[in-house]
Amino acid sequence: MAGAIAYISRDTDGVAWRKQLEAGLGQIDYRTIADGLGNTDEIEVALAWKPKPGLLATFKNMKMIVSLGMGVDHLLADDKLPEGVPITRIMDDGLVGQMSEYAIYWALRHHRDIDKYAASQRAKAWKPEEFVDSIHRRIGVMGLGTIGQDTAKKFAALGFPAAGWSRTAKTIAGIETFHGADGFRKFLARTDILVDVLPLTRDTKGLLNAQAFATLPKGAYFINMARGGHVVDADLLTALDSGHLSGAALDVFNTEPLPADHPYWTHPKVHVTPHIAGATNPRTASSSVIENIKRLRAGQPLINRVDPKTGY
Ligand code: OXD
């Protein structure tokens, strides 16, 4: 039999992944941390989410690491990651759709003043608010990979002027694009609702600092469904408290779970969700993993490979 497939995550018991992989690959030697990994020299493929640093390096014959998230910072943070073992990540249309839904939900809730109406309802006040036309509410999506493009296009389809910013130049029909450091300032200055879907890399850590928030127009709203590490929390809180930003919907944090005493929990302008914007679902995510395991075993080039240098 081919080498073992190890499920290295403590988020679930791994049973759903086993079911999907067996459906696509037939009988497999499947192991999980919870049930014991057995002789780890037999592990050929590791399906990993936030593995304990150093663990993957102990699998001597591993031939592929699969990130169980679209983000791979949880793997690249391990400085003992075995060199030369290809890293691939899941590409999951289901997850992409969930992410854009998350951004659209919070953007529309802000755009249509739903929180103000909820407060009016509590006060039994019949109080129509001034409103902004969607053609004047500028959406800016940071990160123009698969998720960012899907999100920006859906906002454009709803009639919002949608722009995107990426490290390198991109052309996307119907989306105004910006890139690089100079482009970042211009992008922020025209953005009323900022949606973050960037990967976390050395270059993007702390990118959303006091200067970035100050560059957004007054009253801008911030949606983070990427990584908490992009944000300097003290600077975001200052921008909210000063009234420069009107609010934020945060799904990801510098420390997860968000500590009980963190000011975000009770901040009147912040909505907190527990890293659920896009959940990996084996039903939709497994096909690209199965395809890659087949390719690996047939000696064919892998798909969805990650470049450890760029971090995505
Ligand atoms: C991911 C995530 O990277 O869920 O897919 O954060």
Side-chain angles (χ1 to χ4, degrees):
M1 199 195 279
I5 301 174
Y7 177 80
I8 311 294
S9 165
R10 294 197 180 269
D11 274 13
T12 73
D13 58 13
V15 172
W17 272 99
R18 171 179 211 140
K19 201 167 140 214
Q20 295 300 327
L21 294 181
E22 281 176 346
L25 297 167
Q27 204 192 348
I28 51 173
D29 177 356
Y30 184 80
R31 305 176 188 184
T32 66
I33 300 198
D35 293 340
L37 295 174
N39 177 357
T40 56
D41 288 356
E42 292 163 2
I43 294 173
E44 182 187 29
V45 175
L47 308 187
W49 177 247
K50 298 188 180 168
K52 217 164 111 209
L55 176 67
L56 296 179
T58 63
F59 304 166
K60 302 266 172 326
N61 298 310
M62 181 171 53
K63 298 199 179 64
M64 174 168 73
I65 302 170
V66 180
S67 166
L68 286 177
M70 290 184 77
V72 292
D73 48 301
H74 66 105
L75 292 173
L76 300 179
D78 181 353
D79 58 11
K80 295 202 179 61
L81 208 61
E83 258 177 55
V85 177
I87 303 174
T88 63
R89 60 186 176 137
I90 53 157
M91 274 294 167
D92 176 3
D93 288 348
L95 191 148
V96 172
Q98 286 179 55
M99 300 284 284
S100 44
E101 271 166 28
Y102 184 91
I104 289 165
Y105 171 79
W106 289 109
L108 291 183
R109 181 170 166 150
H110 166 68
H111 173 62
R112 296 306 309 264
D113 285 321
I114 299 301
D115 289 339
K116 286 188 189 157
Y117 289 116
S120 295
Q121 181 178 355
R122 283 193 295 275
K124 299 188 180 160
W126 186 268
K127 187 169 168 282
E129 302 285 342
E130 290 287 321
F131 67 91
V132 176
D133 292 315
S134 42
I135 51 161
H136 294 127
R137 186 83 80 177
R138 298 159 297 174
I139 309 288
V141 179
M142 286 170 68
L144 287 174
T146 314
I147 298 169
Q149 290 201 27
D150 184 67
T151 304
K153 285 179 188 164
K154 285 177 179 163
F155 275 115
L158 286 170
F160 294 95
W165 178 79
S166 50
R167 192 174 60 91
T168 54
K170 294 205 168 149
T171 307
I172 303 161
I175 310 296
E176 188 182 7
T177 53
F178 297 83
H179 71 280
D182 191 39
F184 191 49
R185 279 185 292 276
K186 292 186 184 133
F187 163 79
L188 291 175
R190 54 72 62 207
T191 289
D192 301 310
I193 299 182
L194 178 67
V195 180
D196 182 9
V197 286
L198 279 175
L200 182 63
T201 66
R202 265 194 309 274
D203 296 336
T204 63
K205 193 167 165 40
L207 188 63
L208 292 173
N209 54 19
Q211 196 186 358
F213 292 126
T215 309
L216 289 166
K218 184 164 167 51
Y221 190 82
F222 173 49
I223 299 168
N224 193 0
M225 51 178 191
R227 289 293 183 261
H230 295 151
V231 178
V232 179
D233 289 327
D235 294 355
L236 174 56
L237 287 163
T238 303
L240 290 164
D241 291 339
S242 71
H244 188 68
L245 291 193
S246 57
L250 307 176
D251 186 52
V252 285
F253 303 92
N254 274 293
T255 306
E256 293 182 11
L258 185 65
D261 60 353
H262 200 286
Y264 288 149
W265 280 117
T266 50
H267 197 290
K269 291 183 171 175
V270 175
H271 289 285
V272 168
T273 52
H275 201 141
I276 48 74
T280 302
N281 178 347
R283 270 198 314 280
T284 47
S286 55
S287 56
S288 67
V289 176
I290 291 167
E291 169 70 18
N292 257 343
I293 295 175
K294 287 184 178 163
R295 283 170 173 253
L296 179 79
R297 291 178 175 169
Q300 290 166 357
L302 302 175
I303 55 170
N304 305 329
R305 272 190 80 155
V306 170
D307 177 356
K309 287 202 196 72
T310 57
Y312 52 90

